[in-house]
Amino acid sequence: MDRSHRLPTWISVFVLACASLSQPAWAKDAQPCSGELLHSLGRQLGQEGWNVPGESEGRVIAAACKRWPDDPAQTVVAVAYLDSTDDAPPGERSPRLLLSKVEGVSGMLRERYETRLEEDAATEVDSGSLWLDTARYHLAPGVRAFGVVFRSVARGASCPDGGFDDLLTLVVPDAGQLRPVFSTYLSQWTTVKGTSCVSDSGFEMEVSRLTLGIGPNRSNGYADLIVTSRVRNDFEGGNVLRTVSETVRYDGTRYPFEEFSNFWQRQ
């Protein structure tokens, strides 16, 4: 199945004509990182040339910072940065993704998690690609998760039959580090009739926007997650066709759930 992070051209034009209503509300929320904090993080990681993305050129290509709700003296950060040897063009880079809590005054790194965001035809990072989710994800006594949403700016396939974006990853503290326990795309769409690239084919699509809630029960010590999909026939403003939910239970290591889920699709 040919799926893409991005929208086919004619759908993109339609969405832009509707004042970019496909953008989620969080895309308007500013989560800036100060240059001082980024420079401190870079020094601790042995990196040079760290910058505020969107303001100056450097090794940092995306960053988001937000006060930790349970302790205003701490800040949660998400930073996508390039190694000093990575001089590939956008779309071919291998940026590192750092998720961490830091001391708000000193910028000292506390718990952290690092991975790679390998760019390709479907994945590309820019200055607006990261957003921190600090909702009340109280998964167990004394355990509060936080999330990072990654939005790709890659163009992707020209004529896909479905797509996805806004990859949410939840992490929890674990032995002085952060550990991912859940991941899924919050925005998804699929073709139900016709062809996306042919405007007179009777094309119909269904669009899902996922939200997370905390369930009343626990599995292996962690609260169940309630994943809810509101399915529309347009990216925004269309009719709500149905609302469906699925309970995801912790298996002792993670919440097993597909990044591109299909529980919301027609059977």
Side-chain angles (χ1 to χ4, degrees):
M1 182 176 290
D2 183 12
R3 297 193 181 277
S4 171
H5 286 280
R6 314 313 300 159
L7 309 178
T9 301
W10 73 269
I11 294 180
S12 297
V13 171
F14 173 77
V15 173
L16 288 173
C18 292
S20 298
L21 291 177
S22 66
Q23 297 288 323
W26 58 256
K28 300 178 182 179
D29 296 341
Q31 296 183 338
C33 297
S34 69
E36 182 180 5
L37 176 57
L38 290 173
H39 293 154
S40 173
L41 296 178
R43 286 193 300 269
Q44 293 175 69
L45 296 172
Q47 300 288 325
E48 297 181 352
W50 276 36
N51 59 291
V52 176
E55 293 185 5
S56 60
E57 296 295 325
R59 310 309 295 180
V60 178
I61 52 179
C65 295
K66 189 174 184 180
R67 294 288 186 184
W68 182 235
D70 289 352
D71 184 355
Q74 295 182 24
T75 299
V76 288
V77 302
V79 182
Y81 67 96
L82 300 172
D83 292 326
S84 60
T85 57
D86 191 344
D87 293 318
E92 301 178 17
R93 303 169 298 187
S94 298
R96 294 179 183 269
L97 174 63
L98 167 71
L99 303 180
S100 180
K101 285 185 183 178
V102 304
E103 293 294 341
V105 176
S106 66
M108 183 65 66
L109 283 164
R110 293 168 56 90
E111 304 100 329
R112 60 177 166 170
Y113 167 75
E114 283 199 70
T115 188
R116 292 276 188 180
L117 295 171
E118 300 289 349
E119 292 185 329
D120 53 27
T123 302
E124 186 178 329
V125 187
D126 77 353
S127 61
S129 287
L130 299 178
W131 188 83
L132 289 161
D133 180 0
T134 58
R136 294 183 179 87
Y137 297 120
H138 294 286
L139 301 183
V143 178
R144 178 172 179 167
F146 73 88
V148 61
V149 180
F150 168 66
R151 165 163 286 201
S152 172
V153 295
R155 185 174 181 83
S158 60
C159 194
D161 60 4
F164 46 89
D165 212 339
D166 302 341
L167 178 62
L168 169 67
T169 299
L170 293 183
V171 296
V172 298
D174 184 5
Q177 300 294 314
L178 294 174
R179 176 171 59 88
V181 293
F182 177 83
S183 186
T184 194
Y185 289 101
L186 299 178
S187 298
Q188 305 175 25
W189 70 278
T190 190
T191 298
V192 295
K193 181 182 177 182
T195 304
S196 62
C197 292
V198 181
S199 59
D200 60 353
S201 67
F203 174 71
E204 295 179 12
M205 64 179 172
E206 290 188 347
V207 181
S208 168
R209 184 70 182 173
L210 299 184
T211 56
L212 292 186
I214 302 298
N217 300 318
R218 297 185 182 275
S219 303
N220 295 299
Y222 273 27
D224 297 343
L225 294 180
I226 309 298
V227 184
T228 300
S229 169
R230 288 175 175 79
V231 185
R232 298 177 179 269
N233 60 1
D234 200 348
F235 283 96
E236 284 292 343
N239 297 322
V240 176
L241 303 177
R242 58 190 177 277
T243 299
V244 292
S245 297
E246 183 167 298
T247 299
V248 188
R249 296 174 176 85
Y250 188 68
D251 66 6
T253 302
R254 59 188 295 272
Y255 290 90
F257 193 74
E258 294 181 352
E259 288 187 350
F260 186 89
S261 57
N262 58 15
F263 75 98
W264 57 273
Q265 297 180 14
R266 296 182 189 178
Q267 303 298 318

